[in-house]
Amino acid sequence: MKILLFGGTFDPPHTGHLALLQNAIGAVQPDLALVMPAGVPPHKEAYGTPAELRYQMCRAFLSVDRRVHRSRFEMDQPGKSYTANTVRHLQARWPGCEIFLVVGSDMLLSFSTWYCSGWLLQNVTLVAQSRDEGETAAMGPAVEDLRRQGGRVLFLRQPVCLLSSTEVRARCAAGEDISALVPPEALRVIRRHGLYLDPTGGSAKMVTAEFCKKLAKRNLSAKRYQHTLNVRRLAVKLAKRYGADEDKAEIAALLHDICKERPKGELLQMVRDNAIMTQNAAEKPQGVWHAAAAMVVAKQELGVEDGEILDAIRYHTSGRAGMSMLEKVIYMADMCSEERGYPEAEELRKLLKKDMDRALLRALQYSVQWLREERKPIDEDSLLALRWLEERYHRA
């Protein structure tokens, strides 16, 4: 049995990786091709991207050939990922197998420094490839040296695209379009999780306004992104006027619609999976789904722990009784952002300049009235918020 082993950090996998794998499969004609993302690579610094996300991105390799499969073996091992240990594992699982190890130019030139490199030379066939003519010239002497040591090296003189994961991360951090550099399956994971927006090359270590802005731009249509920027602008202005935290208002505004354009089925599954609106969730207004899902993304994927921000995101479409000032700010900024052109918008904007609670009360009244006229479902939180505000004004 012939096994082709293609390992790497794959942070992220890119079109060059796919070409390397395709060339190797064509040359070796293996019975099985294993794509194996490393857990902690011994020759590289560990990047901020979790192994599980890199594994998800490696789904892209499955389209190369029906013989390609992903393996979690190195990800699941404690400590650093050494290729020699992986080869021993494959030999134990498939006794008598012939193993072909795909290596790029950097790995080939440093092969003598690998853990158990001498043993590896006796137990695998190296499948070496270069990315351009310059690398081919540098690799030639290295290939011959390994052969003199008794190693088996299959040198494929098929240059593939000159591209590295480092370059992809750098372009992503700079805000460039990387859709031509990474396969669609990987691009979806990158955009969904906001990977590589941190200029250091990993996923963001902390949520900043700039990070959230880039994330919104990558996940939303141009129209929805502009709405988000408008909400941010008004939210910061309202926070300053009414004493809410301006930084929190900016973060909440930039994230409030981050899930707005995801498929409805995905949103519903997210709120169910996270025990939000478990009772009759499907009958709830769909606007409530995307708000709750955005809160889940902010908390679980971006690490936002501030309860005020999370509540402001979750209740920005429905409101609720006992809203904090930050929640009021985001709700009204969403209702009155400058592109809103519904008839009552100007009245609400005028009220906002004088009295937040009166503006919020009118906004809730208009919203509930419109939903009733359209015979659309009304979220219970909206009704409770309206009753709460009406009682406050009645008592006053």
Side-chain angles (χ1 to χ4, degrees), residues 198-253:
D198 178 3
T200 62
S203 35
K205 304 299 185 298
M206 61 179 292
V207 175
T208 63
E210 187 61 26
F211 172 87
C212 295
K213 181 181 176 182
K214 290 180 179 179
L215 185 63
K217 186 174 184 179
R218 292 184 186 283
N219 282 272
L220 301 174
S221 65
K223 183 178 180 181
R224 181 59 51 181
Y225 176 62
Q226 186 57 55
H227 164 72
T228 296
L229 296 183
N230 293 344
V231 171
R232 178 187 68 167
R233 188 179 302 111
L234 181 54
V236 171
K237 185 183 298 184
L238 292 175
K240 186 175 183 178
R241 179 178 297 159
Y242 289 106
D245 188 300
E246 294 174 45
D247 292 333
K248 291 183 181 182
E250 187 173 22
I251 296 295

Side-chain angles (χ1 to χ4, degrees), residues 21-324:
L21 179 59
Q22 192 169 42
N23 290 344
I25 290 175
V28 174
Q29 291 300 315
D31 299 293
L32 174 65
L34 288 177
V35 172
M36 192 171 295
V40 181
H43 287 73
K44 298 181 180 180
E45 294 182 4
Y47 296 116
T49 309
E52 184 61 37
L53 294 184
R54 291 187 285 110
Y55 181 79
Q56 289 180 27
M57 288 191 282
C58 284
R59 178 182 292 274
F61 290 109
L62 303 182
S63 63
V64 171
D65 190 279
R66 60 178 177 79
R67 292 165 286 186
V68 177
H69 295 266
R70 293 176 296 171
S71 171
R72 306 176 64 95
F73 174 74
E74 290 190 357
M75 287 172 46
D76 293 341
Q77 303 309 301
K80 293 186 174 181
S81 302
Y82 290 107
T83 302
N85 294 339
T86 301
V87 170
R88 291 189 179 100
H89 164 73
L90 297 179
Q91 289 174 332
R93 183 171 180 183
W94 289 285
C97 66
E98 187 178 3
I99 299 174
F100 294 79
L101 176 63
V102 179
V103 292
S105 59
D106 55 341
M107 292 190 287
L108 182 80
L109 295 174
S110 64
F111 191 80
S112 61
T113 68
W114 285 27
Y115 173 69
C116 292
S117 60
W119 181 87
L120 277 171
L121 280 179
Q122 305 305 314
N123 284 272
V124 303
T125 298
L126 300 180
V127 183
Q129 299 182 67
S130 63
R131 295 179 298 177
D132 61 19
E133 292 300 328
E135 286 190 349
T136 299
M139 290 171 68
V143 169
E144 293 305 317
D145 182 58
L146 292 172
R147 285 172 175 166
R148 282 193 296 270
Q149 296 177 47
R152 298 180 299 278
V153 184
L154 179 59
F155 190 17
L156 305 183
R157 299 179 181 273
Q158 298 173 280
V160 295
C161 66
L162 186 59
L163 183 63
S164 69
S165 293
T166 301
E167 179 182 352
V168 173
R169 293 194 301 272
R171 290 192 180 191
C172 192
E176 296 181 25
D177 181 12
I178 60 169
S179 57
L181 307 180
V182 297
E185 297 89 344
L187 188 62
R188 281 194 289 271
V189 176
I190 291 169
R191 288 177 171 171
R192 177 170 182 176
H193 294 274
L195 301 181
Y196 315 127
L197 299 181
D198 178 3
T200 62
S203 35
K205 304 299 185 298
M206 61 179 292
V207 175
T208 63
E210 187 61 26
F211 172 87
C212 295
K213 181 181 176 182
K214 290 180 179 179
L215 185 63
K217 186 174 184 179
R218 292 184 186 283
N219 282 272
L220 301 174
S221 65
K223 183 178 180 181
R224 181 59 51 181
Y225 176 62
Q226 186 57 55
H227 164 72
T228 296
L229 296 183
N230 293 344
V231 171
R232 178 187 68 167
R233 188 179 302 111
L234 181 54
V236 171
K237 185 183 298 184
L238 292 175
K240 186 175 183 178
R241 179 178 297 159
Y242 289 106
D245 188 300
E246 294 174 45
D247 292 333
K248 291 183 181 182
E250 187 173 22
I251 296 295
L254 288 168
L255 296 178
H256 83 287
D257 267 357
I258 200 68
C259 292
K260 180 71 173 182
E261 295 173 327
R262 291 193 183 186
K264 294 175 182 176
E266 181 181 340
L267 297 178
L268 184 57
Q269 192 62 49
M270 287 177 70
V271 299
R272 284 173 168 167
D273 288 347
N274 290 277
I276 303 171
M277 302 182 301
T278 53
Q279 299 298 320
N280 302 318
E283 283 73 47
K284 295 276 188 177
Q286 293 178 5
V288 177
W289 299 355
H290 85 264
M295 184 268 288
V296 171
V297 169
K299 183 176 182 178
Q300 296 186 1
E301 298 181 10
L302 304 182
V304 175
E305 298 179 351
D306 190 288
E308 277 194 294
I309 295 176
L310 296 175
D311 286 339
I313 293 171
R314 176 174 178 179
Y315 296 106
H316 81 265
T317 59
S318 64
R320 65 165 177 164
M323 295 169 73
S324 69

Side-chain angles (χ1 to χ4, degrees), residues 289-356:
W289 299 355
H290 85 264
M295 184 268 288
V296 171
V297 169
K299 183 176 182 178
Q300 296 186 1
E301 298 181 10
L302 304 182
V304 175
E305 298 179 351
D306 190 288
E308 277 194 294
I309 295 176
L310 296 175
D311 286 339
I313 293 171
R314 176 174 178 179
Y315 296 106
H316 81 265
T317 59
S318 64
R320 65 165 177 164
M323 295 169 73
S324 69
M325 182 54 72
L326 184 63
E327 290 174 63
K328 296 174 184 178
V329 162
I330 299 304
Y331 183 95
M332 292 308 302
D334 183 46
M335 286 283 287
C336 298
S337 59
E338 64 184 75
E339 86 286 351
R340 298 291 198 192
Y342 58 92
E344 298 82 7
E346 276 307 312
E347 178 192 349
L348 294 178
R349 291 184 183 114
K350 290 178 181 177
L351 285 173
L352 265 180
K353 294 179 180 179
K354 302 176 181 178
D355 188 326
M356 169 61 81

